[in-house]
């Protein structure tokens, strides 16, 4: 169905696209400490293989249901977990608004993440690391847009090496 | 401790088990010999959980080594496993990862098989107008799919190419059966799958899961957040042939723990942080501690807190493996317990707080031997033999793995490990 066009909707989509651009910049510039602030508290951030979504199975690769859990992921990333040094580059498509319920907007947005190794053995080598879709519920109010839920449905269900940095 | 009388303690055997030539991780001939004589030889290979194919007609595509196979359940409820390669001219018969059907039709020329792999139909078998078709002596019964022996233990389904393989119960051995009985004792519910692809030889992961020594040194999550682990009591139990490994650890008594903490100086202990949201580790009492059960060659059953999972280790070429993890709970779990299992799944899998390092560890070994070095590793923690241990600072089960590997493949891979060059 072709979408209905209204000025309100254009403004709304612009707000969500801006949110996504800032989200990508935050992760790609390795400002992970700022990442939890993109979410409400409580929230739901989960990375789910498409295989499970298709089969109706609930298992996620990452599942955080509070800002505290997001912050713990960041501390673990910085202090505990060991993985090859790398950088991400997110390419995020235009938000597709699929529903609105008062101040809560539902959107679906394609993403691709390229991963570049920064380690001694493979410095500068880039691979297409993950593609999929953000299935979001976003609280939009005057001045802010925050993620109430971001379910990352990962087409690339076979994770290359490991998943340390959020998508 | 079990007796060590059945362990070969000669100097040559000791060298074989304690010095592993890196060649075994990069040599294509070794890989080919493993496919033929290990995965397609007298070994039981995990292909799925019975709960993944609960209904008549259910099927699941899987692998034994790098051979594609399909696990099926027939109308009578019996399980079958066949090579996913058409008896006609070799096409994949089953092209979906899982599903339900009672007739498997190859798309190329529509030869059709039943769930047991028997050939049921050949189009134009009698030709058209008396021309063409199959020869008059063509016998459907002689052109079924290649089938594997199938056996189950609890919900675990295994398949074997070599019909001379010992009975599954004997293959597993008493310590492994006892551990599995503690997990597979009632109906399961599958909660989902994760897949991980690592640029490393499969045996580097087989070593990793038999290696309690690395647990507190490589995985720093527990230490970082103040859940100290390295001096936890635990043990390693093996079958008489040392091919499998039952690795268990359980919480230390609090006083002994405090004394040890005071005495130890381990860099991984630095509890500077606490979890902002401790709900991650708030589980429910269910098991005594932690269990990592490695069944030769490629199955790991794990119980970590309230997470229960099987990991299927699949070789994907000499320098690659895939790990397919299936998380499960029990059919009688209440919704809260299911939620706990799903939340604690943050600990395991490719993004797991206490598991993501394992894939990386195997990959940095593979990268470091990319020059096809003649060097060997040193596997001597806890001594030279592969006897059971009542501690977690040893590599006994790794030596056990290589001891059995040599029994299976020995000369075919140059008397591996250790070789005869020394
Ligand atoms: S290859 Fe399968 S029917 Fe011909
Ligand atoms: Fe590990």
């Amino acid at each position: 169905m072709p979408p209905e066009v209204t000025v309100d909707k254009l403004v709304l989509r612009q707000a969500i696209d801006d949110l996504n651009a800032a989200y990508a910049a935050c992760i790609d510039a390795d400002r992970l400490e700022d990442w939890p602030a993109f979410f409400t508290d409580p929230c739901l951030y989960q990375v789910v293989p498409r295989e499970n979504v298709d089969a109706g199975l609930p298992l996620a690769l990452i599942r955080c249901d509070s800002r505290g859990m997001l912050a713990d992921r960041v501390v673990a990333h910085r202090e505990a977990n060991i993985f090859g040094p790398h950088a991400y580059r997110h390419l995020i498509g235009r938000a597709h608004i699929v529903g609105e319920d008062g101040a809560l907007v539902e959107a679906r947005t394609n993403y691709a993440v390229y991963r570049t190794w920064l380690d001694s053995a493979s410095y500068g080598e880039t691979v297409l690391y993950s593609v999929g879709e953000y299935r979001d519920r976003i609280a939009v109010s005057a001045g802010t847009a925050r993620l109430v839920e971001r379910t990352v449905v990962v087409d690339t269900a076979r994770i290359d090496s490991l998943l340390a940095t959020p998508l | 401790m079990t007796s060590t009388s059945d362990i070969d303690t000669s100097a040559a055997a000791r060298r074989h088990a304690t010095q592993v030539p890196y060649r075994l991780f990069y040599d294509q001939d070794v890989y080919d010999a493993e496919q033929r004589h290990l995965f397609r030889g007298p070994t039981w290979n995990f292909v799925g959980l019975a709960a993944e194919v609960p209904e008549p007609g259910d099927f699941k595509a899987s692998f034994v080594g790098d051979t594609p196979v399909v696990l099926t359940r027939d109308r009578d409820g019996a399980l079958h496993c066949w090579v996913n390669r058409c008896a006609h001219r070799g096409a994949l018969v089953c092209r979906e990862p899982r599903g339900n059907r009672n007739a498997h039709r190859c798309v190329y020329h529509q030869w059709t098989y039943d769930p047991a792999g028997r050939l049921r139909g050949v189009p134009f078998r009698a030709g058209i107008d008396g021309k063409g078709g199959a020869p008059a002596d063509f016998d459907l019964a002689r052109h079924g799919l290649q089938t594997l022996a199938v056996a189950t233990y609890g919900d675990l389904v295994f398949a074997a190419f070599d019909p001379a393989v010992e009975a599954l119960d004997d293959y597993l051995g008493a310590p492994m059966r006892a551990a599995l009985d503690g997990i597979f004792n009632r109906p399961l519910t599958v909660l989902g799958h994760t897949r991980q692809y690592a640029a490393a030889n499969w045996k580097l992961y087989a070593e990793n899961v038999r290696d309690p020594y690395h647990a507190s040194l490589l995985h720093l999550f527990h230490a970082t957040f103040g859940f100290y682990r390295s001096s936890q009591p635990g043990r390693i139990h093996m079958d008489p042939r040392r091919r499998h490994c039952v690795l268990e650890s359980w919480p230390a008594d609090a006083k002994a723990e405090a004394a040890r903490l005071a005495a130890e100086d381990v860099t991984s202990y630095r509890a500077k942080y606490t979890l902002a949201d401790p709900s991650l580790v708030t589980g429910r009492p269910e098991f005594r501690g932690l269990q990592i059960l490695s069944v030769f060659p490629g199955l790991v059953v794990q119980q970590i807190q309230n997470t229960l999972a099987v990991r299927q280790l699949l070789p994907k070429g000499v320098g690659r493996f895939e790990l397919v993890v299936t998380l499960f709970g029990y059919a009688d779990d209440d919704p809260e317990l299911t939620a706990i299992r799903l939340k604690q799944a943050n600990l395991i899998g490719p993004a797991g707080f206490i598991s993501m390092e394992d894939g990386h560890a195997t990959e940095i070994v593979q990268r470091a031997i990319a020059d096809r070095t003649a060097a060997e590793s040193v596997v001597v923690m806890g001594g030279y033999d592969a006897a059971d241990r009542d501690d977690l600072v040893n590599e006994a089960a790794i030596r056990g793995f290589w001891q059995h590997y040599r029994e299976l493949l020995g000369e075919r891979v140059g008397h591996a490990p250790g070789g005869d060059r020394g």
Side-chain angles (χ1 to χ4, degrees), chain B residues 208 214 218-219 354 358:
Chain B
N208 176 277
H214 83 277
L218 174 68
H219 304 301
I354 59 168
D358 291 320

Side-chain angles (χ1 to χ4, degrees), chain B residues 194-211:
Chain B
T194 67
R195 293 166 187 271
Q196 185 172 4
Y197 205 59
N201 185 270
W202 70 276
K203 299 187 294 302
L204 290 168
Y205 192 79
E207 285 190 325
N208 176 277
V209 291
R210 287 168 172 79
D211 169 19

Side-chain angles (χ1 to χ4, degrees), chain A residues 10-26 38 92-95 138 145 150:
Chain A
L10 291 176
V11 171
L12 194 56
R13 210 201 70 228
Q14 192 60 55
I16 295 171
D17 284 340
D18 287 354
L19 172 74
N20 283 334
Y23 179 99
C26 170
F38 284 87
I92 298 184
R94 255 186 44 167
I138 303 163
R150 167 153 286 179

Side-chain angles (χ1 to χ4, degrees), chain B residues 50-313:
Chain B
E52 291 182 84
V53 287
E55 301 299 329
D58 280 354
F59 67 87
K60 175 202 171 186
S62 188
F63 286 89
V64 169
D66 53 18
T67 305
V69 301
V70 180
L71 170 66
T72 65
R73 191 182 288 277
D74 69 20
R75 279 173 221 268
D76 302 321
L79 295 166
H80 303 274
C81 184
W82 31 263
V83 175
N84 193 2
R85 185 164 55 227
C86 186
H88 178 218
R89 279 180 22 224
L92 281 175
V93 174
C94 170
R95 296 175 304 140
E96 300 98 343
R98 52 189 84 235
N100 181 288
R101 64 167 57 104
N102 282 307
H104 293 267
R105 179 172 296 129
C106 176
V107 294
Y108 201 169
H109 315 87
Q110 297 191 19
W111 285 28
T112 302
Y113 305 89
D114 68 13
R118 288 176 295 226
L119 182 60
R120 291 303 198 193
V122 171
F124 304 122
R125 187 176 163 197
I128 295 174
D129 296 335
K131 293 180 183 165
D137 62 354
F138 184 85
D139 182 3
L140 290 186
R142 295 188 51 218
H143 295 279
L145 298 167
Q146 183 183 357
T147 56
L148 287 78
V150 174
T152 59
Y153 195 84
D155 241 69
L156 301 168
V157 185
F158 296 88
F161 270 98
D162 185 346
V165 65
E166 62 207 290
L168 179 59
D169 279 18
D170 298 334
Y171 181 85
L172 293 170
M176 181 60 73
R177 289 202 309 271
L180 294 174
D181 289 344
I183 293 176
F184 297 99
N185 49 23
R186 57 195 196 276
L188 308 183
T189 307
V190 172
L191 297 175
H193 314 277
T194 67
R195 293 166 187 271
Q196 185 172 4
Y197 205 59
N201 185 270
W202 70 276
K203 299 187 294 302
L204 290 168
Y205 192 79
E207 285 190 325
N208 176 277
V209 291
R210 287 168 172 79
D211 169 19
Y213 175 43
H214 83 277
S216 66
L217 301 168
L218 174 68
H219 304 301
L220 304 180
F221 177 80
H222 282 95
T224 300
F225 289 99
F227 312 103
Y228 193 64
R229 267 164 45 94
S230 87
S231 49
Q232 246 174 249
R235 62 177 190 176
I236 296 276
H237 274 203
M238 287 168 264
D239 57 302
R241 294 174 73 174
R242 305 299 187 245
R243 58 191 149 187
H244 317 305
C245 171
V246 174
L247 191 168
E248 296 166 298
S249 80
W250 50 87
D253 138 272
K255 254 196 205 136
E257 183 70 358
R260 271 200 179 121
L261 274 181
E264 286 211 23
D265 175 29
V266 178
T267 52
S268 65
Y269 181 67
R270 43 186 174 125
K272 283 198 329 216
Y273 302 90
T274 51
L275 288 175
D277 184 344
S279 67
L280 172 66
V281 291
T282 322
R284 197 184 278 185
E286 190 177 23
F287 295 96
R288 182 184 181 204
L290 166 156
Q291 306 173 72
I292 305 290
L293 314 175
S294 302
V295 177
F296 189 91
L299 168 67
V300 182
V301 179
Q302 64 140 81
Q303 173 264 312
I304 297 174
Q305 299 186 25
N306 297 111
T307 67
L308 293 160
V310 286
R311 311 178 197 160
Q312 185 187 23
L313 170 60

